[in-house]
Amino acid sequence: MRRDFITYCFGYLAALSLTGIAFACVFYRLLPPVQTFALVLVLALIQVIVHMRCFLHISLKRSARADLQLILFSAMIILLMVGGTLVVLFNLSARMM
Amino acid sequence: MARLTTEPELRHAGLNLADDPREVREQVESDVFGFWVFLMSDAVMFALLFAVYGTMRHATAGGPGPEQEFKFHSAFWETALLLTSSFAYGMVSLSMKHARGQLWLALWLGITFCLGAGFLKMEIHDFLTMFHDGATPERSGYLSSFFVLVGMHGFHVLSGLTWILLMGVQLAVFGPDDRVKVNLIRLGLFWHFLDLIWVVIFSVVYLEGLSL
């Protein structure tokens, strides 16, 4: 009971602080736009991992679960499709200019 | 799913299956895994909508862009509402796992619903304000892709809210039996997943637009 509760609380507080940092960076314009966006993306990635670990209970340790393999495979598909789309279309639009 | 370990720790928070026979547990495992397959197909769809948004980012055709239309405070409070509702659903899972009684379950489910509804209300209000400013989907490629992406997430939240109501009815009629519990686990995965998609939306769409 205790441990599960602590996991959820940790996830909630971590997600809240990561969100707070990201919004604060944009609100106070602490960095130039490009660096700000890069930092926001890194914070989002960390927060996705926190959500996966604390709320969706995916962990590397219990790797007997097929869930983890499914998620990693989907992440690879997503990376290929999104990355491919962006590269091809930005390249196209640069050539059309 | 053959390699089930015998560790006492349950794989999915929420279900009290410690005393149940192995077949029941394996059935639950495969039910939940099937739902993960659906969630990941949904994730692929969202990812492609993000890609479309990225390529349309500068196709504003002289129409309103993110600088004028995005409101910092409403994006922040929407995020806080959805994150808190995700945490509230975690409490639903815990009340179910530790058999804290139906009242706790219903209470946390109600809190989750209210927070989710608050999120949706704010989002609809934002959309209506944008429409009022002339930022409609047909104005530019940028706005089309924005409304498809964020609107699709909003539609998922609406589906989740309907599902929460249905689970309330199931709880009232059947009580927390095994089938209702499996449904609650699936709803939990769906609800946490929506919050995860929102993390990417507020980072890639709202904060990117507001950081210029």
Side-chain angles (χ1 to χ4, degrees), chain A residues 1-6 8-9 11-12 15-16 18-20 22-24 26-27 29 32-33 36-37 40-41 43-45 47-48 51-52 55-58 62-67 69-71 74-75 77-78 81-82 85-86 89-90, chain B residues 1 3 5 7 9-13 29 32-33 36-37 40 43-44 47-48 50-52 54-55 72-73 75-76 79-80 83-84 86-87 90-91 93-94 97-98 100 188-189 192-193 195-196 199-200 202-204 207-208 210-212:
Chain A
M1 178 69 208
R2 271 277 97 155
R3 234 184 65 209
D4 291 334
F5 182 65
I6 288 170
Y8 278 110
C9 287
Y12 182 60
L16 212 57
L18 289 165
T19 305
F23 274 87
V26 172
F27 189 73
R29 300 187 181 276
T36 306
F37 185 49
V40 164
L41 283 186
L43 290 172
L45 188 66
Q47 196 172 339
V48 164
H51 280 238
M52 282 284 184
F55 294 157
L56 290 163
H57 308 293
I58 299 297
R62 283 176 269 167
S63 55
R65 266 171 73 163
D67 297 10
Q69 289 162 24
L70 173 72
I71 291 168
S74 308
I77 296 283
I78 285 171
M81 290 201 298
V82 173
T85 306
L86 292 179
L89 283 175
F90 280 134
Chain B
M1 308 298 294
R3 282 161 54 201
T5 51
E7 60 184 19
E9 187 173 15
L10 293 169
R11 285 139 192 268
H12 298 286
E29 288 281 318
V32 173
F33 180 72
W36 266 109
V37 174
M40 287 301 109
V44 169
L48 290 178
F50 277 112
V52 171
T55 58
F72 185 87
H73 290 282
F76 180 77
T79 305
L83 180 61
T84 311
S86 204
F87 176 74
M91 296 302 107
S93 303
L94 282 189
K97 181 172 180 177
H98 300 287
R100 297 283 303 277
L189 291 180
H192 293 312
F193 172 76
D195 195 26
L196 203 146
V199 169
V200 187
F202 85 67
S203 302
V204 171
L207 289 184
E208 192 272 337
L210 288 165
S211 67
L212 293 176

Side-chain angles (χ1 to χ4, degrees), chain B residues 131-210:
Chain B
F131 288 162
H132 185 74
D133 294 348
T136 47
E138 70 268 26
R139 179 62 188 81
S140 66
Y142 168 72
L143 286 168
S144 304
S145 61
F146 168 81
F147 280 110
V148 170
L149 172 60
V150 183
M152 183 60 88
H153 178 267
F155 176 69
H156 274 74
V157 173
L158 182 66
S159 320
L161 289 175
T162 317
W163 193 355
I164 291 179
L165 283 183
L166 288 177
M167 288 319 299
V169 173
Q170 286 199 356
L171 268 176
V173 175
F174 303 116
D177 64 7
D178 276 357
R179 280 176 59 200
V180 172
K181 280 181 175 178
V182 175
N183 287 344
L184 281 170
I185 290 179
R186 282 188 280 219
L187 173 57
L189 291 180
F190 186 68
W191 199 250
H192 293 312
F193 172 76
L194 288 188
D195 195 26
L196 203 146
I197 297 290
W198 181 257
V199 169
V200 187
I201 289 185
F202 85 67
S203 302
V204 171
V205 176
Y206 285 95
L207 289 184
E208 192 272 337
L210 288 165

